[in-house]
Amino acid sequence: MIVFKDICKTYIMGDEQVHALDHANIHIKQGEFVSIIGPSGSGKSTLMNIMGCLDTASSGEYYLDGMPIERYSEKALAKIRNKKIGFIFQSFNLISTMTAEENVELPLIYQGVRASERKARVKEALEMVDLYSRRGHTPNQMSGGQQQRVAIARAMAAKPSLFLADEPTGNLDSATGKQIMSIFKELNKQGNTIVLITHDDSVACQAQRSIRIMDGKVSDIAYDENGEQVAPMRGGTV
Amino acid sequence: MFIQSIKMALKSIMSNKMRSFLTMLGVIIGVFSLVVLVSLVTGATGSITDSINELGTDQIDVDISDVRGVPISLEELRTDIASIESVKAVAPQTYGVGEVTSMTKSVRAVAIGTTPELAEIQGIKLEAGRFFMNPDLDNNTNVIVVSHELAVDVVGRSDCVGETVKLGGRSFTIIGVMEKQSNSMMMLMMGTPYRAYMPYTTLVRLIPGKDMSVWSFSVSAVDDLDQAEKDIQEYMIRRFPGDEEGYSIYNESQISDQMGKITGILSILLGGIAGISLLVGGIGIMNIMLVSVTERTREIGIRKAIGARPSVIMLQFLIEAIVLSVMGCLIGIGFSWLAMQLINMIGKVSFGLSPVVVIVAVLFSMGVGVVFGLYPAKKASAMKPIDALRFN
Ligand SMILES: Nc1ncnc2c1ncn2[C@@H]1O[C@H](COP(=O)(O)OP(=O)(O)O)[C@@H](O)[C@H]1O
Ligand SMILES: [Mg+2]
């Protein structure tokens, strides 16, 4: 469902050119749990922003469920993000003036879902992350782990086909991180596609498959059932 | 989506009450001055027009000042107007000024010599006694009907029928006292609230050589005012051929028309000044909206990331500007209402808010919200989602 063909992203900083993504070729199938791992500054966030239709590539082609993304207008992309993609950010990105409930409800409002159905879906999503009792709290009344669970609930409520998580456990302690990871595993079990970005091998190895990124270049790694690294399946491209 | 946008706008306005209020202040002051000033002018116009109407809009005055040959006589006019259907009655008016004195006090008053018909033509109401009648006219008796103010200030009380005062060296018996005038119109027209009506035969004797120069006509029906004026005009042309300069014809509606023009100009002028302050209020809203868009860049990024279309972001901020502006307008109208109550209490008048200006103020402030909200809203909607998200 996700196809990157020779995607490049070049930032121009004065005289210097930064190749944040350098001819990246990626295939991710429906229902996969893929981690993208690489050190800081390797281009992970750039990759996710393009994958999430938040940013456009400098060159190359990106097909999401067969749709050629670079040909869509911002209005159409907003709709795609709304319906197909659920974002989970490292810094949670909840709207601070809104309660947990309102944050989770927002994508449904943009989808044009009726109020009664919104209520039901918000409840379902918040119960899934075990935070329904905290629905009236604003982000600053919650811990980091709780905020991230609200963010996951927000992504879930919209019923997207793709969950994109950019270092979702990066700002959390390891116990809370585990809790978050188990939610992702549960989501994956339900058939959702999950792309998880991390710089932490112990997080990355929990996915079925990892894509390594280094200076904007991607290569594939697979793990065996013990979490041990095995040889790439097919050259640098998957 | 629209209702949601309004809810979001209200929420964001409420989440920062002090700033929202300060933002609205410009509009509040603008609307306040607009509504109060225009309402005052309309109110004042209304009461002046009422005063003019009280004098009788069914009254036409002809001032015959300068005709060659013999001036017209009362008997002649009476018989002639009997054949003019649109005109009901006629009364002469001749004026003199003199000291009216009692044992203790004295004021300078306007003495009006006339016939009993004038009471009906001008709708003069008495609080005590009676107006003089034809026998008084025939015998040129020394009787007067005085204004309330004259009675109070010269005799010391208003129920003074039967008392005697001196005027022009003669003694006059007060036979009637007029009702207190509710307005100052007479004062405006005559320059004094002290008036005394007497038979014209008496006044002519008091001031030898005085002619009856002003004639007041009443019309048969108020709707016939124009017709009556035309008929009188034709009559005058027939009566004084080739002497159009010698007389002038006035009716009260001309005065109110003139008044209306003046106050109309005044309203536009004051309304314009207040409108400018409303525009300044709009600029204040734009300023704060721009700050708000910058402050909330990250929020805009989040909203875009989870699927807000540019038009939705645009609507959200535009509605916020309009809500700010209209809320300011409503608060301004509220303050205006309070101010009018206060003015009414202190000034003992009863001016209301002019509904027209209230509607104009609401529409205008909506317009201000749209015009000055558009640019910030456009700016918010045009942000690239990734740039907005990265903003700190
Ligand atoms: N908006 C930008 N402008 C210029 N350079 C950028 C921008 N975003 C990212 N980069 C650069 O691109 C590279 C990849 O960044 P990023 O994708 O954020 O890496 P990661 O998420 O793996 O830490 C880095 O060298 C970073 O400095
Ligand atoms: Mg990153």
Side-chain angles (χ1 to χ4, degrees), chain B residues 342-383:
Chain B
L342 211 67
I343 290 169
N344 285 348
M345 234 164 65
I346 293 167
K348 295 191 174 59
V349 285
S350 55
F351 293 169
L353 291 187
S354 152
V356 176
V357 76
V358 167
I359 292 167
V360 166
V362 172
L363 292 180
F364 198 58
S365 61
M366 268 180 159
V368 162
V370 171
V371 168
F372 292 101
L374 211 54
Y375 174 65
K378 192 87 204 155
K379 203 177 155 189
S381 75
M383 280 181 196

Side-chain angles (χ1 to χ4, degrees), chain B residues 127-256:
Chain B
E127 62 171 54
R130 59 172 177 89
F131 210 76
F132 54 84
M133 290 182 269
N134 281 328
D136 299 313
L137 209 63
D138 298 338
N139 304 324
N140 48 64
T141 27
N142 288 349
V143 289
I144 53 170
V145 174
V146 295
S147 62
H148 176 92
E149 290 81 356
L150 192 147
V152 170
D153 289 354
V154 174
V155 184
R157 61 201 154 83
S158 63
D159 58 334
C160 56
V161 174
E163 296 284 329
T164 309
V165 288
K166 276 200 150 53
L167 172 60
R170 296 178 194 216
S171 284
F172 282 83
T173 309
I174 296 171
I175 58 164
V177 178
M178 292 164 66
E179 276 182 6
K180 191 170 161 51
Q181 221 79 37
S182 60
N183 52 69
S184 50
M185 195 55 209
M186 270 301 189
M187 170 90 204
L188 276 176
M189 305 251 302
M190 300 273 191
T192 170
Y194 303 127
R195 275 170 291 137
Y197 293 89
M198 62 180 71
Y200 77 92
T201 48
T202 312
L203 189 88
V204 175
R205 239 155 249 260
L206 212 56
I207 314 168
K210 189 82 181 165
D211 277 334
M212 286 174 290
S213 54
V214 176
W215 299 87
S216 292
F217 297 84
S218 66
V219 300
S220 308
V222 180
D223 300 339
D224 283 350
L225 189 68
D226 291 340
Q227 182 61 42
E229 192 176 343
K230 228 167 80 192
D231 291 345
I232 290 169
Q233 180 113 37
E234 277 166 15
Y235 170 74
M236 297 309 270
I237 291 170
R238 251 185 289 126
R239 181 62 182 70
F240 302 108
D243 208 359
E244 282 85 11
E245 303 292 308
Y247 54 86
S248 345
I249 302 173
Y250 309 95
N251 75 53
E252 305 295 352
S253 68
Q254 282 167 344
I255 301 175
S256 28

Side-chain angles (χ1 to χ4, degrees), chain A residues 11 49 54-55 74-75 78 81-82 87 89 91 93-95 97-98 102 106-107 109-110 118 154, chain B residues 1 4 8 11 15 298-299 301-310 312-313 316 384-386 389-390:
Chain A
Y11 294 109
N49 291 335
L54 289 169
D55 204 356
E74 171 51 29
K75 183 181 164 186
R81 289 196 295 271
N82 188 214
F87 289 99
F89 300 95
S91 51
N93 276 345
L94 297 174
I95 294 176
T97 53
M98 293 183 158
E102 288 165 336
L106 201 54
I109 290 172
Y110 293 140
R118 285 206 303 265
R154 178 176 67 187
Chain B
M1 193 47 79
Q4 288 297 337
M8 285 178 197
K11 203 175 152 91
S15 71
R298 208 176 161 79
E299 177 193 324
I302 296 170
R303 286 175 184 274
K304 290 192 165 208
I306 62 173
R309 275 173 284 124
V312 169
I313 298 290
Q316 183 192 337
K384 280 183 68 180
I386 187 64
L389 265 179
R390 267 203 210 105

Side-chain angles (χ1 to χ4, degrees), chain B residues 29-52:
Chain B
I29 292 168
V31 166
F32 177 79
S33 42
L34 177 77
V35 172
V36 168
L37 287 178
V38 176
S39 292
L40 278 182
V41 171
T42 350
T45 316
S47 72
I48 291 171
T49 319
D50 285 351
S51 313
I52 294 170

Side-chain angles (χ1 to χ4, degrees), chain B residues 303-358:
Chain B
R303 286 175 184 274
K304 290 192 165 208
I306 62 173
R309 275 173 284 124
S311 58
V312 169
I313 298 290
M314 169 115 178
L315 196 66
Q316 183 192 337
F317 283 91
L318 192 56
I319 285 178
E320 196 169 320
I322 295 171
V323 168
L324 270 177
S325 177
V326 170
M327 254 170 96
C329 174
L330 295 181
I331 294 173
I333 289 172
F335 280 144
S336 314
W337 184 81
L338 285 178
M340 295 306 279
Q341 297 302 103
L342 211 67
I343 290 169
N344 285 348
M345 234 164 65
I346 293 167
K348 295 191 174 59
V349 285
S350 55
F351 293 169
L353 291 187
S354 152
V356 176
V357 76
V358 167

Side-chain angles (χ1 to χ4, degrees), chain A residues 11 13 18 20 39-46, chain B residues 390:
Chain A
Y11 294 109
M13 303 278 283
V18 181
S40 178
S42 57
K44 304 183 298 293
S45 294
T46 305
Chain B
R390 267 203 210 105

